[in-house]
Every structure is written in structure tokens, then in C-alpha cells.
Amino acid sequence: VLDSSNSKLPYNYISSIAIDPLGNKWIGTLKGGVVKYDDSKFEIFNTKNSGLAADQISAISVDESGNKWIGTHDAGLVKYDNKSWTVFNTSNSPLPHNKVYAISIDPTGTIWVGTFGGGLAKYDGVEWTVYNTENSGIPDNNINSIWIDDDDNKWIGTNNGLAKFNNDNWKVYTRENSKLPFNRIISIAVDGKGNKWIG
């Protein structure tokens, strides 16, 4: 076990982990920024030594080009291409909320961003599309998790149920219309047989 007492890990609360195409682990911490770990050494990125917008990290995902997409607790979405940092927030982009709690990337490279309070945002590198309770079938604007399955369905965990979006239609599962035991969905994963595992 690696922690702040026996390694250079800056903080013990780990919020997210992603692995890049080279096998490096990118670790988001609650207050210590982002850590790159190559199984031998740690490299720390924080607000003091990089363009990272906040040290409270909520989510990390890596695209096929190796770009790191980092969700912060209250400073928006950050892209890191191993050279430069780009920050997307409510002031400089259509991102609907600065609390970014979930990120997933579909087969076309489009970034799906779950915000806590602003709904779901889709960013294809040029245009943004925002889905919220006023303009779509999403059941809640508080998004905790996103998983994209092999058929390109988006499975979205919200504070008011599990939503499935097939790019055209929405289907919502709650404890009222399914055997889901609780409506607040924190995490989702889909295994190789297509089974959904819902936390």
C-alpha cells in the first residue's frame, strides 16, 4: 500500500485513477492535485507548479491521444496534453457548472462531462451540447458517474436514478419503476458480457 507516509503521494484521499496509453497511472486526489505514477516514481501536478485549475480533483479520463481530461471540484474541466493546460469553465465555455464529477470518452473521441448542478455536457472538440432536466429526459442535474458501453449507450448515474441515453432517447431507472434499491447512483461499470454494475 502506497500512502503519504511511505511515498511522495501528496494526499491519501484518492478520488479517481486513469491509465494512459503508456501505462502511467494518473491519480486524482482530494486536496493534493494530480499525481502521475509510472510504477517507480511520482510526479505531482498542482496549482502551484502547473496550469491545473484546482487541487481538488473529482474525475480523470484519458483519450486515445493520451490527453488527460481532469474534472475539478469547483474550477471546471482541465485538458492536459503533456505540454500545455487548457481550462474550460462557466466563464470561458458553455460548460454548465464548474463542479465536474464525471468524465467519459466515447468511440469518436467526444468528451462527456457530468457536472454536479448543471447536468451533462458533450464536447466534440469544437461544439458543446448540454443536457439538463429542462431540455432532455435526464432525471437530475447532479451527475455522479458516466459509463459508455460497447453499443455507445451512455449510462449516467444521477442523484435521482440511472439514465440510459442512446443518442436519441432517454430511459430512466429508479426504485419506483425497477428493482434499483436506491435512486442516488454513485458509480457504474459494464463488464465484458454487458452486465451493468451499479453502485
Side-chain angles (χ1 to χ4, degrees):
V1 176
L2 297 173
D3 60 31
S4 59
S5 69
N6 63 17
S7 73
K8 291 187 177 180
L9 196 67
Y11 202 75
N12 286 336
Y13 192 120
I14 307 301
S15 58
S16 52
I17 301 172
I19 301 174
D20 70 21
L22 299 177
N24 299 305
K25 287 75 179 171
W26 292 82
I27 304 162
T29 72
L30 182 64
K31 293 184 179 178
V34 173
V35 180
K36 176 186 176 185
Y37 180 55
D38 66 2
D39 294 329
S40 62
K41 67 179 183 297
F42 291 86
E43 187 174 358
I44 314 297
F45 301 92
N46 56 42
T47 54
K48 294 179 181 177
N49 68 8
S50 73
L52 192 63
D55 290 330
Q56 290 182 291
I57 308 303
S58 312
I60 300 177
S61 192
V62 181
D63 67 25
E64 288 187 355
S65 299
N67 298 307
K68 272 57 73 177
W69 295 87
I70 302 163
T72 70
H73 182 70
D74 58 7
L77 174 70
V78 182
K79 176 187 176 185
Y80 179 52
D81 65 4
N82 298 317
K83 293 180 181 178
S84 59
W85 300 80
T86 305
V87 178
F88 303 92
N89 56 42
T90 56
S91 298
N92 67 13
S93 76
L95 186 72
H97 205 288
N98 285 332
K99 289 179 187 270
V100 175
Y101 282 11
I103 303 168
S104 194
I105 302 169
D106 73 19
T108 68
T110 297
I111 313 300
W112 292 79
V113 183
T115 73
F116 201 79
L120 180 70
K122 178 177 78 170
Y123 178 55
D124 66 5
V126 179
E127 295 183 356
W128 292 80
T129 305
V130 175
Y131 303 92
N132 57 44
T133 55
E134 295 181 2
N135 68 10
S136 75
I138 201 165
D140 195 89
N141 289 329
N142 296 319
I143 311 299
N144 301 309
S145 53
I146 306 167
W147 187 280
I148 301 173
D149 68 21
D150 290 341
D151 295 320
D152 200 27
N153 296 305
K154 285 74 184 176
W155 295 87
I156 303 151
T158 79
N159 273 9
N160 193 30
L162 173 68
K164 176 187 176 185
F165 181 49
N166 68 1
N167 298 314
D168 293 310
N169 300 304
W170 296 83
K171 185 170 185 178
V172 177
Y173 302 88
T174 66
R175 62 185 302 180
E176 289 77 26
N177 68 7
S178 71
K179 291 187 177 180
L180 199 66
F182 198 68
N183 284 342
R184 186 179 183 198
I185 308 301
I186 301 299
S187 57
I188 306 165
V190 181
D191 66 24
K193 295 181 179 179
N195 298 307
K196 286 74 183 173
W197 295 86
I198 302 158

